[in-house]
Amino acid sequence: MVKMASLALVAAFLSLNFTPAFAEAPAAGADKAAGAKTVTVFAAASLKNALDDAAAAYKKKTGVEISISYAASLPLAKQIESGAPADIFVSADTASADYLSSRGLLKEGTRVDLLGNSLVLVAPKIAGGKKVALEKAALLAALGDSGRIATGDPASVPVGKYAKAALTKLNLWEDLESRFAFAENVRAALLFVARDEAPLGIVYLTDAHSEPKVSVVATFPASSHPPIVYPFAQTASSTSEAATKFFAFLKSPEAAGFYKKQGFAVLR
């Protein structure tokens, strides 16, 4: 029988979700940046590994502190709308960036569609990694009598929106809608599968790369869902020179190496 989310799962994810990405020891020249304002980034949960690595490298190089909060894109956008202090916003979909842009909350001229991703079906590695056809019979067989598919909530989480679009395109959504366990963001969904609490999950390829306890058992055709694009932008309220410099670093070839390591496509 499939286990559902526990308080321990939630607590574990919350500690992952809001840990600032500046654990590296200060660089030799860090005293020069001691008075610099901490740069605050609100970013899609799927970027955790890549941005943590980029932030650590930047701090080692400059001594500037980078604080990153990870969650689903739209809730982060709404926090910014409510006045939460953020210098940089990174979304896993264009809709969440559009939400802020239409309200004048992104700094004009800074928005750039920097990264792309793929949508995949994953299973616990202990299940053996056998490929699963994206067909009703195969998916129901993999789920068993009571198993669930873990993914983000389509109402607010980009990966859930992409998952619903893909399954609708493949004429599978109506058959499988009742078999989902919706999570607050993609990394929470990934944990369901990694802990064998769900036999299947729909996440990004980069999330699958980040978790050794899951296997990719199918890849959704790119034509089955809208392009998975990550807009990066500075917020309209950010006046920090340190934020402007870190934003430039995030678009640099050096930072691109961290994205590619996790499996992102660098679009420019």
Side-chain angles (χ1 to χ4, degrees):
M1 184 172 182
V2 175
K3 308 170 190 174
M4 298 306 293
S6 62
L7 290 176
L9 172 66
V10 174
F13 185 76
L14 287 175
S15 66
L16 170 151
N17 193 28
F18 297 106
T19 301
F22 43 81
E24 290 279 352
D31 57 326
K32 295 180 182 178
K37 176 182 180 294
T38 296
V39 178
T40 302
V41 181
F42 280 15
S46 52
L47 279 158
K48 179 171 173 55
N49 298 71
L51 286 189
D52 278 0
D53 288 349
Y58 190 77
K59 185 188 175 181
K60 186 174 182 180
K61 182 178 181 179
T62 67
V64 174
E65 302 280 10
I66 309 297
S67 175
I68 310 179
S69 289
Y70 297 99
S73 299
L74 185 58
L76 288 175
K78 289 185 175 181
Q79 287 181 39
I80 292 172
E81 182 186 25
S82 297
D87 296 299
I88 295 168
F89 177 63
V90 186
S91 175
D93 66 348
T94 57
S96 299
D98 290 345
Y99 181 89
L100 290 180
S101 182
S102 67
R103 289 159 173 77
L105 296 173
L106 296 183
K107 185 169 289 187
E108 190 174 347
T110 65
R111 179 174 168 177
V112 57
D113 291 343
L114 188 61
L115 303 177
N117 214 333
S118 300
L119 192 69
V120 299
L121 185 72
V122 294
K125 183 150 283 186
I126 60 173
K130 184 179 178 181
K131 299 300 179 184
V132 176
L134 295 174
E135 300 171 353
K136 177 181 175 180
L139 291 167
L140 290 176
L143 289 173
D145 292 337
S146 59
R148 301 276 179 164
I149 304 173
T151 196
D153 185 345
S156 59
V157 183
V159 73
K161 296 177 184 179
Y162 294 125
K164 182 177 180 179
L167 292 172
T168 300
K169 181 74 172 181
L170 297 172
N171 296 315
L172 293 168
W173 178 253
E174 289 187 5
D175 295 319
L176 297 172
E177 184 176 4
S178 64
R179 303 299 299 273
F180 276 88
F182 293 132
E184 64 184 15
N185 58 58
V186 69
R187 287 301 176 94
L190 184 68
L191 280 177
F192 274 99
V193 183
R195 296 187 177 199
D196 196 24
E197 294 180 349
L200 294 174
I202 299 176
V203 299
Y204 301 121
L205 177 64
T206 53
D207 297 299
H209 283 177
S210 75
E211 177 50 72
K213 293 182 180 180
V214 307
S215 299
V216 174
V217 294
T219 299
F220 288 88
S223 60
S224 68
H225 55 79
I228 300 172
V229 175
Y230 289 72
F232 285 52
Q234 285 185 261
T235 64
S237 62
S238 177
T239 58
S240 164
E241 182 181 354
T244 298
K245 289 181 178 179
F246 182 61
F247 187 68
F249 173 77
L250 290 176
K251 298 183 291 179
S252 71
E254 183 178 352
F258 299 114
Y259 309 139
K260 291 176 181 178
K261 178 182 177 182
Q262 297 300 323
F264 287 99
V266 178
L267 304 180
R268 54 167 292 165

